Amino acid sequence: MNRRCPVRALSRALSRALTTTTATASQAPTPSTFPLKNVTGSNFEPALESLREHVRAADYVAVDLEMTGVTSAPWRESFEFDRYDVRYLKVKDSAEKFAVVQFGVCPFRWDPQELCFVAHPHNFYIFPRQELSFDDPAAYEFLCQTASVDFLAKYQFDFNMCIREGISYLSREQENELLRHLEESSCSQNKHKEFRDVPLISIADVLFSERIKNRMKEWHDELLHDRNCEQFNESSNDSKQQLQTIFYRTRPALALSGFTAHQLRLIQQVTRNHFEDIVYVCVNVQNTCVQPLLVYTDCNTDKDLLMKEVEDENRRGEELKIHSAVGFRHVIDLLSSEQKLIVGHNCFLDVAHIYRKFFGQLPFTAEEFVSSANKHLPYIIDTKVLLNSSDILKYWMRRSKTSLSSSFARLCPQIALGYTSTDLASKACVKVEVQVDDVRASSWNAGAKHEAGYDAFMTGCVFAQACSHLGIKFHPHSSEILAHDEILEKYVNRLFLSWNNQNIIDLSTGSVTGNSVGSTYFNNRYSKISFENIILIWGFPPKLRAREIKECISKVFGPTSVTSVYSLDKTTVFVQFKEAGLVSDFLGLKETLERNDDPISILNPLWKLLDGGNTCAADYETYKEICSSPVSKVYFSDQAWAVGIKWKTKLLKSDVPGEEGIQKQGDANLSPDNAGDSVLGKTNMKGKKSASDDIDRRSFSCGEILDSLCAHEAERVRTY
Amino acid sequence: MAGTASGLFLRRFCTNTSGARKWSVAQVFRSNFADSLERLRADVSGSDFVAVSLRRTGSPSAPWHRISCFDTLETAYSKARHAAEKFQVLQFAVCPFEVGASKVVAHPYNFHLFPRDELDIKRPSYSFVCQSSHLASMVDEGFDFNACIYDGISYLSREQERLAKVWKGIAVHGKHLEKSSPSPSVADAVFLERTRSRIKQWKNAFEDSSTRNDEPLVRSMRKLILGSEEYGSRPSTTIDVCSQRQVQLALEVLAEFSEDLVPLVIPAKGAGAWVVRAILTSSKEDKILLEQELQNLEHEQTKAFQGFREVIELISGAQKPIVSHNSLNDFTSIYPMFLAPLPSNVDEFLRSLCLVFPQVYDVNHMMKEIAPLGKTTNIPTALSFLNNRFFAPIDVEVSPVTGSEGKIHGLNVVRISHLFVKLCSILRSAPESSQSDSSHQAGTLERFANIFRPWPSADPLDESISIWRNDTRRVNCKDVVFLWGFRKGLSTKMLKSQLQGSHRVFSENFDVRLVDKSCAIVIFWQPGLSDTLLSIMNSSDVSGPLWDLVSEGLKAAGYETYTKLCRLGLFEADLADAFDHNFANHDDYSLDHSTGKNYEIHSSSESMIYLEDL
């Protein structure tokens, strides 16, 4: 008994010591936070190297981005009435205008020994800093959406860190452009190499030139007589700081320092005019500063050789600068070249940002975008699509929201909340361990939400858990197998183009479906919108509400003519008609009423909508056209004006054959009588309470019209 | 202990120009805004001038977007407006200062602003543009973006506040303006009559003493029927309205009962309906009491809305002269924060600005009086320039600040004050104090007031105080032609030599200046030649070398087209693209503007070199 006690005590002490060490070691940076590698400009190089290893070994890589904003104007938000091509244009606009400030990359590797995933969460701070002075400064302007920046601030985003130490980047397109520019400028430099002498006006310039000439002559003569430079160095102590003898590529040279640009120009002039065998060159020193040198050359061929060497070296220096300015894009290049499965959550916008920031300009159509994005990133999986598409996963989600944090909490409670219960449910749980800088941890406090690194980690965990529920087996080095897994295959490369109307785009084929893969629960409410039934009205009198607009149109075209009216913003509505024919009827009537602009037009119930004379109407294609503009005004009506729409009604082609469909107000190329009669005739048929206004019915007395108006007004009063 | 404290106090109080690093500036955030505001109020009321200095998230990057020497007031305003709408003010330094005998006592405050949407109304700013190089240099100077974004002060302009009240459904004491229209429409008449009878009925029910003794059940039944409610302890009734017009009509009815009814307009919250509420008061005194109550409530609710605008209101209300370094840029930013969106017309801008800030001095312009060639556009160089050439010792005292040790950010505004006083003393318009000798001072200083034009126009007085050779030549903007469509990357000299001899208009003396890499200005020193050039460029009988240039894509436009581009805001990255864009939509814009104005624009061969790198 006595003998066993110390042993037990020892083992207890040992185990305690062990646990404490692991605890402190695993939570190295600050014990209370989630272990996460924050990467800024200062530790980027080593972090990139270690990330390379992790990505190569990874089964999949989860990513997440934090941006400075999402929509550049309220009407650019996602709406139910957005067709997929319009939706793409909105995403394109967002990716072009806003900056990415944080990029989370989290490689996940299956550890077959421990039967768990090892995650390496990285949180990169990135900032579009202009590293190269000869780049276009307009490319380094970005938009901030006040609400988004405030949102980041709510989650304690470190803006100072991002701006001061954020890693800069160049897209492939920018890099190529810069290299091309470099090529061109070196070519043109060779061409225009004529020098013009600076006239020596001031006496100081004359004296300076003379002094320099003498000093150079001295140096030159000494070089020729006695090539012992040390001796020379000692003799010249007057301007030792400014002129120093060095060797440049085995040639004796004078390094010039402490001269002004003007003085250097004079020195250059003196060299050119008085010394055949001395060359003035500027060389890059350690890629940071430019060092002017006077180099002695033996003969003309040596001189040419020297010039070429200097040029090549400077060129290499510039290229190196461009190469180092590539910065964070190395991470994207890594993901692209390793062809790993990329996992994101609702990540269409993220993919568009990655494309715009690191590859090049976004194409104009969704199909083109998808096919070229797929070339760079061949396997992308969206956990939001996964969770909404699979019935098995829907069962596990138990109707909870599919936002990242709620699905993380629902699917991975053991990771999210640190449960280690031994009940049946947790048996199915995938174990995930986190490794940062060779320190592995299996328990931690929850990380900061909306920090890209932690969000990427959550996304990866949700994916791992989802795979496990779907019955996908993990193998060592299963990366390729994972992307081609027959269960998973139908979810790969399918992204939500718009979450609102559940449009899913297939990155490998470019096809857009309103329905999800293999789901039966899906809500298809909005997929039946036929866009040719929709018109867009803007610039109507302020204070007119959607309901009033609906009433006013129904009065003319019949009570069931309008299916719905949807406000885009306070200046603009979508009106969805029952049938496509009504669209051209409406536009025609509007045009006629405005053209006539007489007391009779004014009595038409539609006039209420046209009052003020700024009401514009157009079909759905115009909406697309306006969305594709780079301009972003806060209100849609201002936007339409800024885009250059100066007409008031866009008649459809079927109405005006031969015309472009765009017609300026007042251009009476419709036969006024016919068009007016037919449309107004329809008005009379359909508009029940409308004060009739056909020209033939002038017999209506003013009193009658007023009566009907009064009745209508009174009824309106009653309804409110 | 006390000794050291007072010693410290003294030392800090007596810091002068040599100890600039020891100046400290009150850093104001949302958390200490209320306290600082009270101190600022006292400082402003005791001051002679108020200097302001703004820091934005960027400045125009395209060369031609920047205000240049060839801009008139109108085009300069358009450019400043474009920049002000694009970039966001993050830092607003205010410095009331007193001027003594060769001494300035400054009280700098550095307000950190962030356009946070406090009320969820997408105001004051939905989004703004940042320039990464600008942000990076601000961080290097020690600007704390975290503090600014987490704890910056938001604001609403007067117009935004008015809209916010509507959106937030804040009740406003309804004031009936006047009889809206002499002959109301039938519908209006119906509404009026209906409302009138309802109010009468409801009011009578309360006045009728017979009903006072009714049972509670009967009373509540009546309440239900009459639609009576309680507002506080007073009975009230609600009139539903469905348009602004009906709000006015309802108020018109209520005005008839004005001796004991107080109308209250409650705007629609979201998509709901507007409501006019009538509150019954028991007596005249009670009515006054209620009106007072309502006013206080309204004031309380709106105080939270204005945020930083309170500072601008304070400065404007004090009617002190404002000193700024680049007044056009600063005030195009201040205007939309304070009043309303910027008007499209510069005259309207200046008119309404003058109502709220009657006296604005721009040190930049005063500096030009001394150094007309405009080499001294930044404040430290201007100061050292003056120090080198003039003897005008001005001591600066910065009032000490507690609790912001080591924060010297926002000192620019003190330097502006310093520069201003120095300039005043050099220009012999010593602004000793506003009381003594005010008539003399007003005369000399006044000619610098409210100059917003980019370059001060020639003034006979200019010659008298010129210190360097003044080789500024002026040219009428009618004699200027914009050329574009030439090969990009062409130098001024190459372009000039191409033009020379291409046509007889170029045989006379002319100059060429590149605006950006795509567009150039040709200045004809002989009047009338510009018209000739424009007309031959548009006609088909171009011949000779000029024809070659035109066939390669050379185009020309007069100054009024440039003015139009700026006014329409066609700020493409390259000026040539903007001109082309304008020509593509040529018919759609009508020139609603008289183009016959003779702008004098300023041009000098010297400034052409310097001003490009402003």
Side-chain angles (χ1 to χ4, degrees):
Chain A
M1 220 36 183
N2 273 351
R3 273 192 305 164
R4 277 161 71 188
C5 267
V7 177
R8 204 189 290 160
L10 180 68
S11 73
R12 207 183 295 144
L14 261 177
S15 71
R16 200 185 301 134
L18 274 174
T19 48
T20 47
T21 47
T22 49
T24 46
S26 65
Q27 297 167 353
T30 36
S32 59
T33 52
F34 175 76
L36 179 81
K37 191 166 178 68
N38 277 311
V39 187
T40 61
S42 53
N43 63 341
F44 178 61
E45 291 297 330
L48 177 64
E49 285 318 305
S50 69
L51 183 69
R52 265 182 219 287
E53 301 305 312
H54 296 318
V55 169
R56 264 183 211 127
D59 293 295
Y60 62 92
V61 182
V63 295
D64 187 77
L65 277 67
E66 296 297 330
M67 287 79 93
T68 57
V70 181
T71 52
S72 56
W75 58 268
R76 289 222 195 240
E77 282 159 24
S78 171
F79 291 111
E80 289 160 7
F81 275 129
D82 287 346
R83 201 166 53 195
Y84 78 92
D85 50 349
V86 169
R87 179 70 202 134
Y88 170 72
L89 288 174
K90 287 182 172 180
V91 168
K92 176 171 175 279
D93 174 77
S94 175
E96 279 166 352
K97 289 198 173 118
F98 295 102
V100 176
V101 285
Q102 218 175 40
F103 201 114
V105 178
C106 186
F108 279 74
R109 176 176 60 87
W110 178 249
D111 184 340
Q113 267 98 48
E114 301 278 329
L115 293 177
C116 72
F117 269 107
V118 183
H120 306 270
H122 285 69
N123 197 36
F124 290 90
Y125 281 89
I126 64 177
F127 186 68
R129 187 181 296 102
Q130 185 173 356
E131 296 280 5
L132 303 166
S133 54
F134 45 91
D135 206 355
D136 178 17
Y140 296 91
E141 274 181 10
F142 59 90
L143 203 61
C144 287
Q145 196 181 347
T146 313
S148 300
V149 173
D150 198 29
F151 176 83
L152 287 175
K154 238 171 236 147
Y155 292 98
Q156 306 293 311
F157 183 84
D158 192 341
F159 295 95
N160 289 338
M161 170 91 97
C162 179
I163 297 167
R164 198 187 301 119
E165 287 187 56
I167 309 151
S168 64
Y169 55 83
L170 284 181
S171 72
R172 288 187 184 174
E173 201 174 280
Q174 271 174 306
E175 189 191 2
N176 291 338
E177 177 67 24
L178 287 170
L179 288 174
R180 201 180 52 77
H181 180 84
L182 191 67
E183 188 95 21
E184 264 176 19
S185 66
S186 69
C187 280
S188 66
Q189 242 171 35
N190 285 343
K191 262 187 232 160
H192 311 281
K193 242 185 182 160
E194 81 269 14
F195 295 100
R196 256 185 348 108
D197 279 1
V198 191
L200 301 175
I201 304 167
S202 79
I203 196 77
D205 284 359
V206 176
L207 285 177
F208 178 81
S209 299
E210 207 52 40
R211 194 173 67 86
I212 284 294
K213 198 168 110 190
N214 289 338
R215 287 283 299 112
M216 282 172 71
K217 201 164 164 46
E218 246 174 68
W219 181 71
H220 183 249
D221 291 348
E222 271 185 63
L223 275 180
L224 290 184
H225 293 138
D226 177 20
R227 295 209 170 191
N228 190 345
C229 295
E230 281 163 50
Q231 194 192 330
F232 170 79
N233 248 352
E234 279 157 28
S235 70
S236 66
N237 53 2
D238 53 333
S239 51
K240 209 172 188 176
Q241 293 83 19
Q242 289 196 307
L243 298 171
Q244 223 169 7
T245 304
I246 55 160
F247 280 93
Y248 178 73
R249 299 196 171 232
T250 70
R251 298 176 189 90
L254 272 180
L256 309 170
S257 53
F259 291 104
T260 65
H262 180 68
Q263 287 172 332
L264 286 174
R265 216 154 63 202
L266 292 175
I267 294 173
Q268 207 175 345
Q269 193 169 317
V270 168
T271 319
R272 207 164 52 235
N273 295 341
H274 301 281
F275 298 93
E276 274 279 292
D277 45 7
I278 296 181
V279 190
Y280 177 95
V281 291
C282 289
V283 292
N284 275 327
V285 181
Q286 292 155 352
N287 296 319
T288 47
C289 57
V290 175
Q291 171 69 57
L293 291 177
L294 292 172
V295 187
Y296 174 81
T297 53
D298 288 328
C299 55
N300 268 344
T301 46
D302 188 37
K303 194 172 166 180
D304 292 343
L305 190 70
L306 171 74
M307 294 304 280
K308 191 157 168 37
E309 275 174 12
V310 169
E311 214 166 83
D312 286 351
E313 190 175 295
N314 286 352
R315 169 95 185 268
R316 253 197 311 283
E318 294 292 302
E319 275 174 3
L320 226 89
K321 261 193 221 166
I322 294 175
H323 184 75
S324 71
V326 163
F328 181 75
R329 205 195 75 216
H330 287 302
V331 174
I332 304 300
D333 285 344
L334 172 68
L335 295 180
S336 174
S337 64
E338 290 295 323
Q339 307 232 327
K340 293 288 171 181
L341 180 66
I342 309 284
V343 181
H345 190 82
N346 203 10
C347 62
F348 188 70
L349 181 62
D350 291 358
V351 174
H353 266 290
I354 292 173
Y355 191 93
R356 176 69 185 81
K357 301 289 182 307
F358 308 113
F359 297 112
Q361 297 288 337
L362 287 166
F364 286 102
T365 66
E367 291 82 357
E368 281 173 79
F369 164 68
V370 152
S371 74
S372 38
N374 195 38
K375 275 183 210 127
H376 297 301
L377 302 168
Y379 309 111
I380 301 174
I381 203 154
D382 188 330
T383 45
K384 186 146 186 149
V385 173
L386 197 63
L387 296 180
N388 280 289
S389 308
S390 150
D391 292 345
I392 302 166
L393 293 176
K394 281 189 171 223
Y395 162 74
W396 281 100
M397 286 300 289
R398 296 187 184 87
R399 291 181 178 276
S400 87
K401 284 195 295 180
T402 52
S403 75
L404 178 58
S405 52
S406 76
S407 44
F408 181 59
R410 174 67 79 180
L411 289 183
C412 318
Q414 81 289 359
I415 305 172
L417 306 163
Y419 287 165
T420 41
S421 60
T422 49
D423 66 353
L424 208 70
S426 78
K427 284 263 164 59
C429 285
V430 177
K431 232 174 95 189
V432 178
E433 292 188 356
V434 176
Q435 186 179 339
V436 173
D437 292 334
D438 305 323
V439 181
R440 213 153 134 171
S442 51
S443 70
W444 49 80
N445 290 343
K449 245 204 286 178
H450 299 294
E451 188 173 44
Y454 187 65
D455 277 5
F457 170 74
M458 290 201 286
T459 308
C461 291
V462 167
F463 176 69
Q465 192 60 56
C467 284
S468 144
H469 287 320
L470 288 172
I472 295 164
K473 295 277 174 291
F474 303 114
H475 315 281
H477 307 293
S478 57
S479 182
E480 282 93 73
I481 307 161
L482 208 53
H484 293 118
D485 187 285
E486 58 176 18
I487 305 170
L488 213 52
E489 205 175 15
K490 59 181 176 181
Y491 305 109
V492 171
N493 285 340
R494 280 168 176 82
L495 304 185
F496 274 123
L497 192 52
S498 106
W499 164 239
N500 267 18
N501 44 21
Q502 313 269 342
N503 273 335
I504 288 182
I505 190 158
D506 189 333
L507 291 184
S508 14
T509 62
S511 64
V512 179
T513 44
N515 208 340
S516 297
V517 247
S519 166
T520 48
Y521 292 97
F522 239 98
N523 183 348
N524 260 335
R525 200 152 45 112
Y526 302 113
S527 59
K528 288 196 184 69
I529 295 172
S530 49
F531 293 94
E532 61 268 27
N533 293 6
I534 291 177
I535 56 158
L536 198 60
I537 309 175
W538 69 92
F540 48 80
K543 306 253 156 56
L544 212 56
R545 281 196 223 96
R547 188 174 38 160
E548 294 168 276
I549 290 167
K550 182 174 180 174
E551 264 171 32
C552 149
I553 297 172
S554 304
K555 263 175 214 149
V556 182
F557 294 100
T560 57
S561 60
V562 177
T563 316
S564 57
V565 175
Y566 187 88
S567 289
L568 186 62
D569 65 12
K570 70 177 194 182
T571 65
T572 308
V573 289
F574 284 113
V575 177
Q576 188 183 15
F577 284 106
K578 200 174 62 189
E579 53 206 69
L582 289 167
V583 169
S584 52
D585 288 353
F586 176 86
L587 295 174
L589 174 62
K590 175 178 179 294
E591 205 274 331
T592 315
L593 288 176
E594 279 170 343
R595 178 153 38 79
N596 293 344
D597 194 15
D598 51 13
I600 290 157
S601 309
I602 290 166
L603 287 177
N604 192 298
L606 208 56
W607 193 258
K608 192 174 160 197
L609 191 62
L610 309 182
D611 207 6
N614 295 319
T615 308
C616 302
D619 60 342
Y620 197 82
E621 293 308 315
T622 312
Y623 175 53
K624 185 182 167 186
E625 189 191 314
I626 291 170
C627 283
S628 71
S629 158
V631 186
S632 266
K633 299 284 179 189
V634 174
Y635 291 117
F636 189 84
S637 56
D638 299 338
Q639 170 79 10
W641 177 259
V643 166
I645 291 177
K646 305 291 186 282
W647 38 263
K648 284 168 65 178
T649 309
K650 181 175 175 176
L651 295 179
L652 296 182
K653 278 176 188 153
S654 55
D655 281 11
V656 195
E659 276 289 309
E660 283 304 310
I662 297 170
Q663 189 190 15
K664 281 191 207 111
Q665 192 216 3
D667 278 4
N669 55 353
L670 265 176
S671 153
D673 295 331
N674 293 344
D677 277 355
S678 68
V679 181
L680 291 175
K682 209 173 280 168
T683 314
N684 287 337
M685 275 186 333
K686 292 194 173 172
K688 273 201 274 181
K689 286 197 196 63
S690 81
S692 301
D693 43 29
D694 199 353
I695 301 162
D696 299 335
R697 309 207 177 172
R698 285 228 179 100
S699 52
F700 263 109
S701 71
C702 198
E704 273 176 285
I705 293 172
L706 273 182
D707 279 351
S708 77
L709 253 182
C710 180
H712 146 229
E713 278 294 331
E715 189 201 54
R716 213 162 65 93
V717 166
R718 231 173 289 131
T719 53
Y720 283 97
Chain B
M1 200 62 194
T4 49
S6 68
L8 193 73
F9 175 83
L10 271 176
R11 202 180 63 220
R12 283 172 60 201
F13 195 81
C14 296
T15 45
N16 55 15
T17 34
S18 61
R21 268 178 224 98
K22 287 178 194 143
W23 291 344
S24 60
V25 179
Q27 307 290 326
V28 188
F29 297 96
R30 193 163 44 163
S31 43
N32 61 348
F33 181 59
D35 301 343
S36 307
L37 192 69
E38 284 321 303
R39 280 191 288 127
L40 179 69
R41 201 184 297 280
D43 286 341
V44 166
S45 69
S47 69
D48 299 316
F49 298 90
V50 180
V52 295
S53 163
L54 277 63
R55 195 75 208 250
R56 295 198 290 217
T57 54
S59 60
S61 55
W64 83 277
H65 294 184
R66 290 172 222 153
I67 295 168
S68 179
C69 59
F70 58 79
D71 279 313
T72 59
L73 176 59
E74 190 181 356
T75 56
Y77 170 71
S78 300
K79 288 178 176 186
R81 177 178 165 221
H82 177 68
E85 282 168 354
K86 206 168 151 186
F87 301 110
Q88 175 67 39
V89 176
L90 289 185
Q91 185 192 330
F92 196 123
V94 177
C95 178
F97 60 97
E98 294 130 48
V99 181
S102 70
K103 191 174 99 172
V104 182
V105 183
H107 311 274
Y109 292 81
N110 193 22
F111 292 92
H112 290 72
L113 309 184
F114 184 71
R116 198 178 303 100
D117 187 1
E118 303 269 16
L119 302 164
D120 198 22
I121 55 170
K122 308 235 189 309
R123 296 291 185 290
S125 160
Y126 185 81
S127 61
F128 53 90
V129 176
C130 293
Q131 215 170 25
S132 58
S133 58
H134 222 84
L135 300 191
S137 68
M138 280 171 92
V139 158
D140 289 343
E141 286 165 26
F143 186 84
D144 188 345
F145 279 93
N146 287 353
C148 176
I149 296 169
Y150 296 176
D151 198 23
I153 309 151
S154 190
Y155 54 87
L156 285 183
S157 71
R158 286 182 182 174
E159 188 179 293
Q160 284 165 347
E161 182 185 308
R162 201 170 47 72
L163 291 173
K165 277 189 202 167
V166 172
W167 282 327
K168 286 280 134 182
I170 290 203
V172 182
H173 182 210
K175 289 173 199 82
H176 174 56
L177 306 165
E178 56 195 83
K179 265 229 176 304
S180 35
S181 65
S183 56
S185 73
V186 180
D188 287 352
V190 170
F191 180 80
L192 275 175
E193 206 37 63
R194 206 165 57 90
T195 312
R196 189 174 292 127
S197 67
R198 245 197 71 190
I199 296 287
K200 230 180 245 163
Q201 232 177 356
W202 169 73
K203 214 176 139 236
N204 287 342
F206 281 95
E207 279 165 3
D208 192 358
S209 53
S210 68
T211 59
R212 290 259 163 90
N213 307 325
D214 277 344
E215 286 174 50
L217 180 67
V218 177
R219 232 185 294 168
S220 62
M221 285 293 279
R222 179 173 294 114
K223 229 175 178 176
L224 213 62
I225 291 160
L226 293 170
S228 188
E229 296 153 17
E230 307 246 300
Y231 185 87
S233 55
R234 300 176 184 89
S236 76
T237 189
T238 302
I239 307 160
D240 285 326
V241 288
C242 50
S243 67
Q244 276 302 297
R245 168 109 192 94
Q246 290 190 347
V247 171
Q248 278 307 310
L249 292 174
L251 290 177
E252 193 178 319
V253 174
L254 291 177
E256 294 165 19
F257 305 92
S258 64
E259 63 275 7
D260 45 8
L261 280 185
V262 175
L264 199 62
V265 180
I266 300 162
K269 224 174 189 172
W274 283 59
V275 154
V276 175
R277 185 169 285 173
I279 305 163
L280 188 66
T281 53
S282 53
S283 65
K284 212 162 199 132
E285 293 75 46
D286 189 37
K287 191 184 170 227
I288 292 164
L289 194 72
L290 177 68
E291 277 173 346
Q292 193 60 47
E293 252 173 51
L294 289 173
Q295 206 172 0
N296 287 346
L297 191 71
E298 198 184 320
H299 187 71
E300 199 66 18
Q301 280 170 317
T302 54
K303 200 172 169 161
F305 286 16
Q306 47 183 343
F308 176 74
R309 199 186 84 226
E310 214 170 334
V311 172
I312 311 179
E313 294 273 8
L314 190 160
I315 298 168
S316 165
Q319 297 278 305
K320 301 279 177 183
I322 312 290
V323 179
S324 147
H325 177 245
N326 189 339
S327 55
L328 187 62
N329 274 350
D330 283 355
F331 281 93
T332 44
S333 281
I334 293 172
Y335 190 99
M337 287 165 71
F338 181 43
L339 296 171
L342 284 166
S344 57
N345 184 316
V346 65
D347 298 326
E348 197 184 328
F349 165 73
L350 292 179
R351 209 178 314 118
S352 35
L353 188 68
C354 201
L355 293 177
V356 284
F357 297 109
Q359 254 185 313
V360 176
Y361 295 100
D362 190 328
V363 284
N364 223 358
H365 284 137
M366 296 170 75
M367 198 60 207
K368 287 219 182 75
E369 184 95 358
I370 290 173
L373 296 184
K375 279 194 253 183
T376 48
T377 43
N378 80 49
I379 297 164
T381 41
L383 271 173
S384 69
F385 175 86
L386 293 183
N387 279 339
N388 288 340
R389 316 219 178 216
F390 298 96
F391 180 72
I394 303 288
D395 277 347
V396 181
E397 275 184 23
V398 174
S399 62
V401 181
T402 48
S404 58
E405 293 299 319
K407 288 216 172 162
I408 52 138
H409 202 68
L411 269 183
N412 216 23
V413 75
V414 181
R415 293 198 195 100
I416 291 175
S417 321
H418 186 191
L419 181 63
F420 174 74
V421 178
K422 227 175 171 64
L423 279 166
C424 285
S425 95
I426 290 167
L427 294 168
R428 298 192 199 296
S429 52
E432 294 284 289
S433 72
S434 35
Q435 288 89 35
S436 68
D437 202 11
S438 58
S439 63
H440 169 251
Q441 183 223 327
T444 40
L445 201 54
E446 202 136 81
R447 68 197 164 94
F448 295 106
N450 302 333
I451 302 172
F452 288 93
R453 61 182 64 251
W455 309 101
S457 61
D459 188 320
L461 282 169
D462 271 0
E463 317 293 319
S464 61
I465 51 153
S466 69
I467 296 152
W468 283 281
R469 70 200 154 93
N470 190 351
D471 65 344
T472 59
R473 284 185 287 176
R474 303 185 67 76
V475 62
N476 192 305
C477 62
K478 279 207 294 197
D479 297 324
V480 159
V481 172
F482 285 83
L483 284 184
W484 72 98
F486 48 85
R487 193 161 51 79
K488 276 196 181 176
L490 221 55
S491 73
T492 311
K493 201 170 291 137
M494 285 153 85
L495 183 64
K496 190 171 175 179
S497 69
Q498 279 195 2
L499 292 172
Q500 232 149 15
S502 66
H503 193 270
R504 62 181 167 73
V505 293
F506 293 115
S507 57
E508 297 294 329
N509 189 16
F510 74 100
D511 273 313
V512 175
R513 187 215 149 142
L514 283 177
V515 181
D516 61 12
K517 61 184 188 295
S518 70
C519 187
I521 303 181
V522 178
I523 303 128
F524 290 101
W525 294 108
Q526 196 177 329
L529 287 178
S530 60
D531 287 340
T532 322
L533 177 64
L534 285 176
S535 63
I536 54 167
M537 290 285 282
N538 293 331
S539 68
S540 54
D541 52 299
V542 191
S543 58
L546 187 60
W547 188 86
D548 292 338
L549 288 173
V550 172
S551 66
E552 275 169 31
L554 191 74
K555 288 186 200 163
Y559 199 87
E560 72 283 351
T561 316
Y562 173 71
T563 310
K564 197 173 90 178
L565 291 185
C566 293
R567 184 161 32 87
L568 293 172
L570 293 175
F571 287 105
E572 313 273 336
D574 285 345
L575 182 53
D577 292 342
F579 272 118
D580 281 333
H581 187 112
N582 174 60
F583 273 68
N585 297 315
H586 198 257
D587 309 328
D588 295 332
Y589 304 101
S590 61
L591 273 175
D592 55 329
H593 200 79
S594 66
T595 50
K597 273 194 207 166
N598 278 356
Y599 303 107
E600 280 277 294
I601 61 165
H602 184 270
S603 137
S604 77
S605 46
E606 282 282 294
S607 56
M608 277 184 190
I609 300 162
Y610 300 122
L611 295 165
E612 283 182 337
D613 46 43
L614 276 186

